[in-house]
Amino acid sequence: MITVIAGVALFLLATAGLLAYQNSRLITEQEADSTAVPTGMLMYSVINERFLENEERPEAVPLFQYTVLSEPGEQLSPGETGTTFALCRVPAGTGEMILWDAQNWMVNNIRKAAIQGVLMEHSGFPDKAARKGEKELIVNLEATVKEETGHADSY
């Protein structure tokens, strides 16, 4: 009789352990899924090329760009334009960043360039913004450039 009770207790303990393991695995998967960025939201990339105001490309729609020099006080030869970083909206799922990360990346790099004294010029493309967040991004980046270069208007 004791053997049967011990066997049942051992079976119940093993079953409880298995259920606890499966439950913890499910919780871990759900947490990973909730923190992962859906690939459809990865629709922003920074491209190292200059875009013109009227330029249209289906693979990259420019929202904001800035140009830097290699070193402070560098003199460019005729035809040289420095290095341009353009934040672009790309087809959903093909980008490297979500909107928030793209804005943070641009702000950090604009600040670094301003501190180093190599920030040369910038331009936003508000007419190409397709969402409210993109319009806010352009306004925020332009304000950051003005603030970092010491030309910010007082509010």
Short mmCIF file of all heavy atoms in Angstrom, two decimals, residues 44 63-64 87 89 99 103 124-143:
data_model
loop_
_atom_site.label_atom_id
_atom_site.label_comp_id
_atom_site.label_asym_id
_atom_site.label_seq_id
_atom_site.Cartn_x
_atom_site.Cartn_y
_atom_site.Cartn_z
N TYR A 44 12.58 52.21 -41.45
CA TYR A 44 13.44 53.38 -41.55
C TYR A 44 14.90 52.96 -41.62
O TYR A 44 15.32 52.05 -40.91
CB TYR A 44 13.21 54.33 -40.36
CG TYR A 44 11.78 54.79 -40.32
CD1 TYR A 44 10.84 54.13 -39.55
CD2 TYR A 44 11.36 55.85 -41.11
CE1 TYR A 44 9.52 54.52 -39.54
CE2 TYR A 44 10.03 56.24 -41.11
CZ TYR A 44 9.12 55.58 -40.32
OH TYR A 44 7.81 55.96 -40.34
N LEU A 63 13.38 61.68 -45.53
CA LEU A 63 12.62 62.51 -44.59
C LEU A 63 13.49 63.65 -44.05
O LEU A 63 13.01 64.75 -43.86
CB LEU A 63 12.11 61.65 -43.43
CG LEU A 63 11.16 60.52 -43.82
CD1 LEU A 63 10.84 59.65 -42.62
CD2 LEU A 63 9.90 61.07 -44.45
N PHE A 64 14.77 63.35 -43.81
CA PHE A 64 15.68 64.35 -43.27
C PHE A 64 17.10 63.94 -43.63
O PHE A 64 17.42 62.75 -43.62
CB PHE A 64 15.54 64.43 -41.74
CG PHE A 64 16.32 65.54 -41.12
CD1 PHE A 64 15.79 66.81 -41.04
CD2 PHE A 64 17.59 65.32 -40.63
CE1 PHE A 64 16.51 67.84 -40.46
CE2 PHE A 64 18.32 66.34 -40.06
CZ PHE A 64 17.78 67.61 -39.97
N LEU A 87 17.98 60.07 -43.51
CA LEU A 87 17.02 59.18 -42.87
C LEU A 87 15.87 58.98 -43.85
O LEU A 87 15.24 59.95 -44.27
CB LEU A 87 16.50 59.79 -41.57
CG LEU A 87 15.38 59.01 -40.88
CD1 LEU A 87 15.84 57.60 -40.51
CD2 LEU A 87 14.90 59.75 -39.66
N ARG A 89 12.41 56.57 -45.29
CA ARG A 89 11.39 55.55 -45.08
C ARG A 89 11.56 54.55 -46.22
O ARG A 89 11.66 54.92 -47.38
CB ARG A 89 9.98 56.17 -45.13
CG ARG A 89 8.88 55.14 -44.92
CD ARG A 89 7.48 55.75 -44.95
NE ARG A 89 7.20 56.39 -46.22
CZ ARG A 89 7.01 57.71 -46.38
NH1 ARG A 89 7.09 58.53 -45.36
NH2 ARG A 89 6.75 58.21 -47.57
N LEU A 99 10.62 54.06 -36.00
CA LEU A 99 10.68 55.52 -36.04
C LEU A 99 11.41 56.11 -34.84
O LEU A 99 12.27 56.98 -34.99
CB LEU A 99 9.25 56.09 -36.13
CG LEU A 99 9.15 57.60 -36.30
CD1 LEU A 99 9.77 58.03 -37.61
CD2 LEU A 99 7.69 58.04 -36.25
N GLN A 103 14.92 58.31 -34.95
CA GLN A 103 15.05 59.67 -34.44
C GLN A 103 16.20 59.76 -33.45
O GLN A 103 17.01 60.68 -33.52
CB GLN A 103 13.76 60.13 -33.78
CG GLN A 103 13.87 61.53 -33.21
CD GLN A 103 12.55 62.06 -32.68
OE1 GLN A 103 11.49 61.64 -33.12
NE2 GLN A 103 12.62 62.98 -31.74
N GLY A 124 15.20 69.11 -44.39
CA GLY A 124 14.09 68.21 -44.10
C GLY A 124 13.17 68.15 -45.31
O GLY A 124 13.16 69.06 -46.14
N PHE A 125 12.41 67.10 -45.39
CA PHE A 125 11.47 66.91 -46.48
C PHE A 125 10.07 66.70 -45.91
O PHE A 125 9.53 65.59 -45.97
CB PHE A 125 11.88 65.72 -47.34
CG PHE A 125 13.28 65.82 -47.90
CD1 PHE A 125 14.34 65.17 -47.27
CD2 PHE A 125 13.55 66.57 -49.02
CE1 PHE A 125 15.62 65.26 -47.78
CE2 PHE A 125 14.84 66.67 -49.53
CZ PHE A 125 15.88 66.02 -48.91
N PRO A 126 9.46 67.73 -45.30
CA PRO A 126 8.17 67.55 -44.65
C PRO A 126 7.04 67.15 -45.61
O PRO A 126 6.10 66.49 -45.20
CB PRO A 126 7.89 68.90 -43.99
CG PRO A 126 8.78 69.87 -44.67
CD PRO A 126 9.95 69.09 -45.18
N ASP A 127 7.17 67.51 -46.87
CA ASP A 127 6.13 67.15 -47.84
C ASP A 127 6.14 65.65 -48.14
O ASP A 127 5.17 65.13 -48.68
CB ASP A 127 6.30 67.95 -49.12
CG ASP A 127 7.67 67.79 -49.74
OD1 ASP A 127 8.67 67.76 -48.99
OD2 ASP A 127 7.76 67.68 -50.99
N LYS A 128 7.19 64.95 -47.78
CA LYS A 128 7.27 63.51 -48.04
C LYS A 128 6.86 62.67 -46.83
O LYS A 128 6.82 61.46 -46.89
CB LYS A 128 8.68 63.14 -48.47
CG LYS A 128 9.04 63.86 -49.77
CD LYS A 128 10.30 63.38 -50.35
CE LYS A 128 10.55 64.25 -51.58
NZ LYS A 128 11.36 63.69 -52.54
N ALA A 129 6.55 63.34 -45.72
CA ALA A 129 6.11 62.63 -44.52
C ALA A 129 4.71 62.10 -44.75
O ALA A 129 3.80 62.83 -45.14
CB ALA A 129 6.14 63.56 -43.32
N ALA A 130 4.53 60.81 -44.49
CA ALA A 130 3.24 60.17 -44.74
C ALA A 130 2.44 59.97 -43.45
O ALA A 130 1.26 59.70 -43.50
CB ALA A 130 3.45 58.81 -45.41
N ARG A 131 3.08 60.14 -42.32
CA ARG A 131 2.42 59.91 -41.03
C ARG A 131 2.69 61.10 -40.10
O ARG A 131 3.67 61.82 -40.27
CB ARG A 131 2.96 58.64 -40.38
CG ARG A 131 2.68 57.40 -41.17
CD ARG A 131 3.45 56.21 -40.57
NE ARG A 131 3.19 55.00 -41.30
CZ ARG A 131 3.75 54.69 -42.46
NH1 ARG A 131 4.61 55.49 -43.02
NH2 ARG A 131 3.44 53.56 -43.06
N LYS A 132 1.84 61.24 -39.11
CA LYS A 132 2.01 62.32 -38.14
C LYS A 132 3.35 62.19 -37.43
O LYS A 132 4.05 63.17 -37.22
CB LYS A 132 0.87 62.28 -37.13
CG LYS A 132 0.95 63.37 -36.10
CD LYS A 132 -0.19 63.27 -35.11
CE LYS A 132 -0.04 64.32 -34.03
NZ LYS A 132 -1.01 64.16 -32.97
N GLY A 133 3.75 60.98 -37.07
CA GLY A 133 5.02 60.76 -36.39
C GLY A 133 6.21 61.19 -37.22
O GLY A 133 7.20 61.68 -36.69
N GLU A 134 6.12 61.00 -38.53
CA GLU A 134 7.21 61.40 -39.41
C GLU A 134 7.32 62.93 -39.46
O GLU A 134 8.42 63.47 -39.49
CB GLU A 134 7.02 60.83 -40.81
CG GLU A 134 7.18 59.34 -40.86
CD GLU A 134 6.92 58.73 -42.22
OE1 GLU A 134 6.48 59.45 -43.16
OE2 GLU A 134 7.14 57.52 -42.35
N LYS A 135 6.20 63.61 -39.48
CA LYS A 135 6.23 65.08 -39.48
C LYS A 135 6.84 65.59 -38.18
O LYS A 135 7.64 66.53 -38.20
CB LYS A 135 4.81 65.63 -39.67
CG LYS A 135 4.26 65.36 -41.05
CD LYS A 135 2.84 65.83 -41.20
CE LYS A 135 2.35 65.43 -42.59
NZ LYS A 135 0.97 65.73 -42.81
N GLU A 136 6.48 64.97 -37.07
CA GLU A 136 7.06 65.36 -35.78
C GLU A 136 8.56 65.07 -35.76
O GLU A 136 9.34 65.85 -35.22
CB GLU A 136 6.36 64.62 -34.64
CG GLU A 136 4.94 65.05 -34.42
CD GLU A 136 4.20 64.20 -33.40
OE1 GLU A 136 4.81 63.27 -32.83
OE2 GLU A 136 3.01 64.47 -33.18
N LEU A 137 8.97 63.96 -36.35
CA LEU A 137 10.38 63.61 -36.43
C LEU A 137 11.15 64.70 -37.16
O LEU A 137 12.20 65.14 -36.69
CB LEU A 137 10.54 62.27 -37.15
CG LEU A 137 11.96 61.91 -37.54
CD1 LEU A 137 12.38 60.63 -36.85
CD2 LEU A 137 12.08 61.75 -39.03
N ILE A 138 10.65 65.16 -38.29
CA ILE A 138 11.33 66.18 -39.07
C ILE A 138 11.44 67.48 -38.27
O ILE A 138 12.51 68.10 -38.21
CB ILE A 138 10.61 66.40 -40.42
CG1 ILE A 138 10.73 65.13 -41.27
CG2 ILE A 138 11.18 67.61 -41.15
CD1 ILE A 138 9.82 65.10 -42.48
N VAL A 139 10.36 67.87 -37.62
CA VAL A 139 10.37 69.09 -36.80
C VAL A 139 11.38 68.95 -35.67
O VAL A 139 12.17 69.87 -35.40
CB VAL A 139 8.95 69.40 -36.25
CG1 VAL A 139 8.99 70.47 -35.19
CG2 VAL A 139 8.02 69.78 -37.39
N ASN A 140 11.39 67.80 -35.00
CA ASN A 140 12.32 67.57 -33.90
C ASN A 140 13.77 67.59 -34.36
O ASN A 140 14.64 68.14 -33.68
CB ASN A 140 12.02 66.24 -33.20
CG ASN A 140 10.72 66.27 -32.43
OD1 ASN A 140 10.20 67.33 -32.10
ND2 ASN A 140 10.18 65.09 -32.17
N LEU A 141 14.05 66.99 -35.51
CA LEU A 141 15.43 66.96 -36.01
C LEU A 141 15.89 68.35 -36.43
O LEU A 141 17.04 68.74 -36.19
CB LEU A 141 15.56 65.96 -37.16
CG LEU A 141 15.41 64.49 -36.76
CD1 LEU A 141 15.47 63.60 -37.99
CD2 LEU A 141 16.45 64.08 -35.74
N GLU A 142 15.00 69.13 -37.04
CA GLU A 142 15.38 70.49 -37.42
C GLU A 142 15.63 71.34 -36.16
O GLU A 142 16.57 72.13 -36.12
CB GLU A 142 14.30 71.12 -38.29
CG GLU A 142 14.30 70.54 -39.69
CD GLU A 142 13.21 71.08 -40.59
OE1 GLU A 142 12.23 71.67 -40.09
OE2 GLU A 142 13.34 70.92 -41.81
N ALA A 143 14.81 71.15 -35.13
CA ALA A 143 15.02 71.87 -33.88
C ALA A 143 16.34 71.46 -33.23
O ALA A 143 17.06 72.30 -32.68
CB ALA A 143 13.86 71.62 -32.93
#
